[in-house]
Amino acid sequence: MKLLRNVLVLFLVIYLMPALASAGYWYIKDRPHSWREANWKSAGILPAAKDTPQATIHIFSAATGGMKGAVASHAWIVTKEANAAGYNRYDKVGWGTPVRKNGYAPDAYWYSNTPRVVVSVSGDEAARLIPKIEKAIADYPYATPGAYRIWPGPNSNTFVAHVLRSVPELGVVLPPDAVGRDYLPEGKLFALDADGRDVHATLYGLFGVSAGLRSGLELHIMGLVAGVDLMRPAIKIPAIGRIGI
């Protein structure tokens, strides 16, 4: 009983309290009440494509809408080949054809929430990786209508996490509030990144662990992520995000 009590206390402190604190802040925050009221225009983060002749890759993430935004974010992928006239944006959404291409401006607000850059790559390395990203997108197994579930997945973050695992040269994992990133495609319980440097084990995105050079050490409970990053020193707090040490 003492062990069970200690486990419950740790769960409350590490997972539940940050989520509740974030929910309290989100409740009083001024935010749109529906998607019709939200700002979906460019946030002005990216320069015009014509002003950046080199190839570029960007992974973006932004808090999602409604009270979900207190604990969850939405991620997407942006690519531009060398000398291309525009960017290509890839999202997975919960309506219509799930994997959407250029449905929004590449750096658009998401439900009025400002995007944050998870990683950017440019130049020859970006040119080399764009075909690999496109192949990973084409290979994503949940790309048909109806192949979306908001929790525990497969959702928008499941899609981007699949690409990051398939193209480990991008060098990152999604932030801790990217609920659904830990749902492994095709119901797998175990996955090894393409370069073998990160390993993931999960029970359908509900409970799991990730460890490796990019993940650090993470524990996942009900889609919430806590952990430490040793390569880029930080702690990962559920619903809050990364805090550098």
Side-chain angles (χ1 to χ4, degrees), residues 63-110:
T64 190
M67 282 303 296
K68 300 189 305 296
V71 297
S73 61
H74 167 81
W76 65 93
I77 302 162
V78 175
T79 65
K80 184 186 74 66
E81 295 187 0
N83 301 310
Y87 295 94
N88 285 318
R89 170 173 170 160
Y90 302 90
D91 299 70
K92 182 171 182 188
V93 296
W95 58 91
T97 302
V99 177
R100 193 68 53 86
K101 183 177 181 179
N102 296 331
Y104 309 89
D107 57 355
Y109 293 97
W110 188 256

